[in-house]
C-alpha cells in the first residue's frame, strides 16, 4: 500500500530531515542519498514515458525500464535503516511496511513472473497484457511521487528552501497518484495469482492475504494522508 504520494508517514508528517541536529557528515549523506534517489526515479520515469510517447509497445517498455526500476526501488530498503538508527524522523514499522509492499511488487511479482503478467526480456511480444498496463500505472504513480518526494528532501535538508509550488505538489498530488498506484498494484497482484498457484500454494495464499490487506489498508492510509496534509499545510 505504498503508491500514495506525499503526506503519508514516510513522505509527509515525518521527514527526511534528521531527528536531531545533524552533523555535517549526516547532512551530506542525506543530500547524496535523496539526490541519487531523485536522479534514478527521474531517469526511470522519463525514460518510460518517452518510450510510451514514441509508441513503443508496452511489453518493450517494461523490458527497457524494469532493470533500473528494480535497482531504484531496492535502494529504498536503506530508508528502513535510516528510520531504525534515528537518522530521520519516521516510524520504523510504517516505513518497513510501505517499503516492503513495493519490494513485493518489484521482486515478488514483476521479477518472478516476467513474461506471464508483464513483458519478458527474453521473449519480447508487441501484444500488451493487463499486467503491462498495470506496470505503466505503477511506474507513473511511483515515479512522479518519488521525484517530488526526494526532490523536496534534497531542498529541505540542504537548506536551499522548498519553493511553494513544489510544496503544493508534495501535499496535493496524492489525490490522483495514490488511486492510480494502488489500483495498478492490486491488478498486478491479482494477475499474479495464477502463476503463484503454479509456483506454490503457500505463495498463492500469501498474495490472497496481501489483497485482503490492500482494500481496508488503502482506505485507512488514504484518509490518513488527507489528515496529514491538513496538519502540514496548517503549519505553513
Amino acid at each position: 500500500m505504498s503508491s500514495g504520494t506525499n503526506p503519508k508517514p514516510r513522505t509527509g508528517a515525518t521527514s527526511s530531515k534528521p531527528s536531531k541536529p545533524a552533523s555535517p557528515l549526516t547532512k551530506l549523506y542525506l543530500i547524496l542519498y535523496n539526490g541519487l534517489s531523485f536522479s534514478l526515479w527521474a531517469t526511470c520515469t522519463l525514460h518510460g514515458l518517452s518510450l510510451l510517447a514514441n509508441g513503443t509497445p508496452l511489453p518493450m517498455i517494461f523490458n527497457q525500464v524494469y532493470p533500473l526500476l528494480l535497482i531504484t526501488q531496492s535502494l529504498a530498503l536503506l530508508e528502513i535503516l535510516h528510520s531504525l538508527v534515528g537518522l530521520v524522523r519516521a516510524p520504523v514499522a510504517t516505513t518497513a511496511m510501505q517499503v516492503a509492499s513495493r519490494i513485493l511488487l518489484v521482486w515478488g511479482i514483476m521479477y518472478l513472473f516476467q513474461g506471464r503478467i508483464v513483458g519478458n526480456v527474453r521473449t519480447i511480444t508487441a501484444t500488451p497484457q493487463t499486467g503491462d498496463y498495470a506496470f505503466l500505472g505503477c511506474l507513473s504513480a511511483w515515479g512522479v511521487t518519488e521525484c517530488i518526494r526526494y526532490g523536496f528532501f534534497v531542498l529541505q535538508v540542504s537548506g536551499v528552501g522548498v519553493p511553494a509550488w513544489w510544496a503544493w505538489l508534495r501535499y496535493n498530488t496524492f489525490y490522483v497518484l495514490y488511486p492510480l498506484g494502488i489500483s495498478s498494484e492490486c491488478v498486478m497482484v491479482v494477475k499474479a495469482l495464477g502463476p503463484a498457484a503454479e509456483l506454490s500454494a503457500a505463495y498463492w495464499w500469501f498474495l490472497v492475504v496481501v489483497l485482503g490487506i490492500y482494500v481496508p489498508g488503502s482506505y485507512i492510509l488514504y484518509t490518513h494522508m488527507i489528515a496529514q496534509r491538513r496538519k502540514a499545510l496548517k503549519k505553513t
Side-chain angles (χ1 to χ4, degrees):
M1 293 165 291
S2 61
S3 297
T5 178
N6 314 321
K8 66 184 180 181
R10 190 163 65 100
T11 61
T14 56
S15 169
S16 186
K17 293 178 67 176
S19 57
K20 56 185 178 180
S23 67
L25 186 60
T26 298
K27 187 175 180 179
L28 176 61
Y29 169 77
L30 289 175
I31 292 173
L32 292 176
Y33 170 78
N34 288 295
L36 175 62
S37 297
F38 172 84
S39 299
L40 290 172
W41 277 110
T43 301
C44 288
T45 308
L46 293 176
H47 184 42
L49 294 180
S50 65
L51 291 172
L52 180 66
N54 290 331
T56 304
L58 293 184
M60 295 184 184
I61 294 178
F62 173 83
N63 294 336
Q64 295 190 41
V65 175
Y66 174 70
L68 181 59
L69 175 65
L70 183 65
I71 295 172
T72 302
Q73 185 57 67
S74 298
L75 186 64
L77 287 167
L78 287 174
E79 296 187 21
I80 301 176
L81 178 62
H82 297 168
S83 179
L84 187 63
V85 300
L87 201 62
V88 297
R89 297 194 301 263
V92 177
T94 303
T95 302
M97 182 179 68
Q98 293 172 338
V99 172
S101 65
R102 294 271 194 92
I103 295 299
L104 169 64
L105 265 294
V106 297
W107 282 102
I109 293 180
M110 295 179 189
Y111 179 81
L112 283 181
F113 305 127
Q114 294 180 48
R116 301 292 300 275
I117 61 173
V118 287
N120 189 297
V121 294
R122 293 177 295 277
T123 308
I124 297 179
T125 172
T127 304
Q129 304 179 59
T130 305
D132 293 307
Y133 291 102
F135 169 76
L136 187 62
C138 288
L139 176 65
S140 301
W142 296 355
V144 175
T145 293
E146 301 296 35
C147 285
I148 294 171
R149 183 169 76 97
Y150 286 117
F152 184 99
F153 289 156
V154 169
L155 296 172
Q156 184 185 61
V157 176
S158 65
V160 173
V162 182
W165 63 270
W166 199 299
W168 185 91
L169 289 174
R170 185 183 178 216
Y171 291 110
N172 288 277
T173 52
F174 78 94
Y175 279 111
V176 174
L177 295 177
Y178 185 80
L180 171 62
I182 204 69
S183 59
S184 299
E185 291 179 21
C186 286
V187 169
M188 295 209 75
V189 176
V190 170
K191 296 295 293 183
L193 289 176
E198 299 175 11
L199 180 67
S200 165
Y203 197 58
W204 183 88
W205 277 110
F206 170 70
L207 293 183
V208 169
V209 172
V210 168
L211 282 174
I213 296 174
Y214 258 94
V215 177
S218 299
Y219 173 78
I220 294 172
L221 188 55
Y222 193 53
T223 54
H224 173 75
M225 289 156 57
I226 294 174
Q228 293 302 118
R229 171 186 178 276
R230 294 195 188 103
K231 291 180 182 180
L233 294 183
K234 188 177 295 184
K235 292 179 182 179
T236 58

